[in-house]
Amino acid sequence: MGELGIDVLLLSVGADLPYLTGYEAMPLERLTMLVLPRDDDAALVVPRLEAARVQERPEAFTVRPWEETDDPIGLVARLAGPAGTAAIGDQTWARFVLDLQAAMPTTRFRKASEVTGPLRIVKDAAEVAALRAAARAVDEIASAMRDRPFAGRTEAEIHRELVDRMLELGHERANFAIVASGANGASPHHEPGERTIAAGDVVLCDFGGTMRSYCSDITRMFVVGEPDSEVRDAYAVLVDAQEQAVRAATVGTPCEEVDATARRVIGDAGFGDRFIHRTGHGIGIEAHEDPYLVAGNALPLAPGHAFSIEPGIYLPDRFGLRLEDIVLATDEGPERLNEAPRDLAVVD
Ligand code: ZN
Ligand code: ZN
Ligand code: ZN
């Protein structure tokens, strides 16, 4: 904050607050806000009825509950003092931002991610351990799905199975479980529905959740019965693209170069216009966070960066393919945190 000329950090809903305090703000009309001055003690302003859920850490912050008839905006403004520059959480609701700007008319507002981004992007040993544990849990699910029947079940049924399994294997919550069969797979974020999976269908399963506050995210591909050569050939291209992109993800390599590597392999095979999204996203306390592996992001990878590598090939009206692992950049080279088999699983 000193380097950036920021006098006070103001954090509400979003991942920065639990990252620093272990407490996640309720997304409520009642304001929760950590007021963290650069040179003074921090206070967590929280609605009285939520205070019992906060674990106070007096060495880090005190809890300042407010009653239903209090003015929490005024309280935050008082605690912030005569700050020249405040950095406010990127996901703070506009109603609170606008009220705070009115209550702190001489303060310049910037985004809290300027302060928290460089901290959160590098995972320490405990964070890596949590990401690894979450990855292991979804690996176990992805592996077990290879022995499960798909034909005759709906996408929604498989979706529920994935959600249940994530919770059984230690996730606090399931964040998503995309099941896209046949032509539905051509839409990368397809909402699982009542389509019944049938012989010959290619099925994309992309699922993840939160475990010990850190996220998992994996995509594996299944096919009901032996795939035809078109599916097999396209999938071989995808596996190659993903492998080469993982190998390219060394410390010092710009994020956009990892994206370009996957795109080159897919483009050379003639599917360039069918790879319709970036190659990957960072992952941590949020399922999608910095760094993004996308053209235009020249940020060099550093040890402790954790991100997905998930190229895809989407053929409208036919099928879609994606293969996704979480990868950690280390001084010893890129390390995949997911280890479930990556071949196209032939299922019943
Ligand atoms: Zn996605
Ligand atoms: Zn995913
Ligand atoms: Zn992902």
Side-chain angles (χ1 to χ4, degrees):
M1 289 167 68
E3 280 170 30
L4 296 166
I6 288 166
D7 301 307
V8 64
L9 190 61
L10 303 172
L11 299 179
S12 184
V13 293
D16 288 341
L17 181 61
Y19 178 79
L20 289 178
T21 66
Y23 179 72
E24 191 169 351
M26 279 276 211
L28 290 179
E29 75 288 3
R30 297 184 181 98
L31 178 66
T32 296
M33 186 158 271
L34 180 73
V35 182
L36 195 162
R38 190 178 62 213
D39 302 314
D40 206 347
D41 297 332
L44 183 62
V45 172
V46 64
R48 163 72 70 198
L49 76 168
E50 304 301 330
R53 302 194 311 114
V54 183
Q55 174 138 31
E56 194 174 34
R57 291 162 54 194
E59 80 289 359
F61 65 89
T62 53
V63 176
R64 293 291 302 262
W66 59 274
E67 309 290 339
E68 293 282 30
T69 53
D70 288 348
D71 166 24
I73 294 289
L75 178 56
V76 168
R78 271 197 308 284
L79 289 167
T85 303
I88 189 160
D90 296 24
Q91 282 108 337
T92 307
W93 290 6
R95 59 189 293 176
F96 298 131
V97 179
L98 293 172
D99 286 352
L100 279 167
Q101 286 179 323
M104 300 165 67
T106 59
T107 303
R108 195 168 102 82
F109 282 76
R110 285 159 62 177
K111 285 190 240 176
S113 55
E114 289 186 57
V115 180
T116 56
L119 303 175
R120 282 180 47 195
I121 198 171
V122 176
K123 273 66 185 181
D124 66 20
E127 295 181 286
V128 170
L131 285 169
R132 208 184 286 284
R136 254 198 301 270
V138 291
D139 274 353
E140 188 176 330
I141 298 165
S143 299
M145 290 309 287
R146 299 166 68 90
D147 299 319
R148 300 282 297 140
F150 278 68
R153 303 171 72 198
T154 65
E155 293 174 344
E157 284 167 20
I158 308 253
H159 162 88
R160 277 192 293 276
E161 178 171 358
L162 293 171
V163 167
D164 289 346
R165 292 289 287 146
M166 282 191 270
L167 298 177
E168 281 165 23
L169 289 182
H171 282 64
E172 293 97 74
R173 60 177 177 237
N175 294 330
F176 57 89
I178 299 167
V179 178
S181 62
N184 288 342
S187 169
H189 281 167
H190 171 69
E191 186 73 30
E194 293 309 314
R195 183 181 185 279
T196 300
I197 297 166
D201 277 352
V202 174
V203 186
L204 182 158
C205 294
D206 180 354
F207 53 100
T210 303
M211 183 165 142
R212 287 160 49 186
S213 298
Y214 282 77
C215 290
S216 60
D217 188 1
I218 187 172
T219 308
R220 288 297 184 265
M221 294 302 312
F222 304 84
V223 59
V224 182
E226 287 301 322
D228 62 30
S229 60
E230 186 191 20
V231 171
R232 206 176 270 290
D233 292 350
Y235 192 69
V237 170
L238 188 65
V239 169
D240 187 27
Q242 204 248 9
E243 173 69 28
Q244 293 205 37
V246 171
R247 283 192 203 166
T250 53
V251 167
T253 301
C255 288
E256 62 186 354
E257 180 51 34
V258 179
D259 178 77
T261 302
R263 220 162 283 287
R264 209 144 43 219
V265 176
I266 290 172
D268 286 351
F271 294 115
D273 59 342
R274 301 298 177 207
F275 178 14
I276 55 176
H277 54 72
R278 66 192 174 207
T279 293
H281 54 83
I283 189 166
I285 205 163
E286 284 186 289
H288 287 192
E289 59 180 47
D290 283 327
Y292 293 99
L293 306 183
V294 62
N297 185 5
L299 179 80
L301 291 173
H305 285 182
F307 43 86
S308 72
I309 294 197
E310 50 177 310
I313 296 173
Y314 306 94
L315 302 178
D317 305 321
R318 316 251 288 289
F319 59 86
L321 302 170
R322 180 159 71 250
L323 178 62
E324 173 177 28
D325 289 314
I326 302 306
V327 175
L328 179 72
T330 81
D331 283 323
E332 287 72 49
E335 182 197 344
R336 280 186 163 102
L337 301 187
N338 293 105
E339 288 163 356
R342 284 177 203 93
D343 60 317
L344 183 58
V346 177
V347 294
D348 291 336

